[in-house]
């Protein structure tokens, strides 16, 4: 009987399952799931449970795959992964809102080669939506990064 080797496609579902478990645990311990209404941990826990289920389903699909071919990654896919990692690291340093705005500028200029006029218009609209809808109206508390030390 031939021993089946798991390829790099199995790594992503395992990592996302670990992330989901961490988010579920932190959400339940630090924020709670339900307390006479949805507390701050309600929606992150739901999203983390969906991520965990999708990760398990993806891992099962990879494990059942008969080919065993290793996946090939191209430059565009790696750019998205690096961008997501940059936003996560940036949210710890400069905050989530600012890191998303910086990511958008970099993506529009370096990848899409958009003119500055379009970049500025898109940035202004996105900043207005984030601040107006989420911060002012819905009062969502975004991570502030190192700025939290000064507040």
């Amino acid at each position: 009987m031939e021993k089946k080797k798991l390829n790099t496609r199995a790594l992503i579902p395992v990592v996302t399952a670990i992330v989901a478990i961490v988010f579920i645990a932190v959400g339940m311990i630090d924020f709670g799931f339900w307390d006479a209404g949805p507390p701050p941990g309600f929606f992150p826990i739901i999203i983390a449970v969906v991520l965990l289920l999708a990760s398990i389903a993806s891992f099962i699909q990879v494990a059942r795959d008969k080919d065993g071919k290793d996946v090939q990654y191209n430059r565009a896919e790696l750019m998205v992964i690096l961008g997501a990692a940059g936003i996560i690291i940036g949210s710890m340093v400069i905050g989530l809102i600012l890191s998303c705005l910086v990511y958008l500028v970099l993506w529009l200029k370096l990848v899409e080669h958009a003119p500055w006029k379009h970049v500025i218009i898109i940035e202004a609209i996105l900043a207005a939506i984030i601040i107006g809808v989420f911060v002012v109206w819905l009062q969502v508390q975004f991570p502030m990064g190192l700025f939290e030390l000064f507040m």
Side-chain angles (χ1 to χ4, degrees):
M1 182 169 195
E2 184 179 325
K3 186 176 179 181
K4 187 172 179 177
K5 171 182 121 170
L6 287 177
N7 54 32
T8 58
R9 290 187 308 162
L11 180 64
I12 293 172
V14 169
V15 170
T16 56
I18 292 169
V19 169
I21 291 168
V22 168
F23 270 79
I24 292 169
V26 169
M28 293 294 259
I29 293 168
D30 292 344
F31 302 106
F33 184 70
W34 193 266
D35 183 31
F42 181 71
F43 287 111
I45 292 170
I46 290 175
I47 299 300
V49 168
V50 171
L51 177 62
L52 180 61
L53 294 174
S55 299
I56 292 169
S58 179
F59 185 80
I60 291 170
Q61 185 179 15
V62 168
R64 287 184 178 173
D65 189 19
K66 303 288 185 220
D67 298 356
K69 289 185 197 174
D70 206 12
V71 67
Q72 298 292 324
Y73 299 102
N74 63 34
R75 184 174 184 261
E77 292 167 342
L78 293 176
M79 293 281 289
V80 172
I81 293 169
L82 290 174
I87 288 176
I88 292 169
I89 293 168
S91 68
M92 292 180 214
V93 177
I94 60 174
L96 182 61
I97 296 172
L98 196 54
S99 66
C100 286
L101 294 174
V102 168
Y103 171 79
L104 185 62
V105 168
L106 293 174
W107 188 270
L108 289 173
K109 284 308 289 177
L110 300 177
V111 176
E112 298 296 328
H113 306 291
W116 278 110
K117 179 182 176 185
H118 295 158
V119 172
I120 292 169
I121 291 170
I122 292 169
E123 282 287 319
I125 292 170
L126 185 65
I129 291 171
I130 291 172
I131 294 169
V133 173
F134 293 104
V135 176
V136 175
W137 182 29
L138 297 175
Q139 298 178 353
V140 175
Q141 296 177 350
F142 290 105
M144 296 296 292
L146 296 177
F147 294 119
E148 288 178 358
L149 298 174
F150 304 112
M151 296 182 155

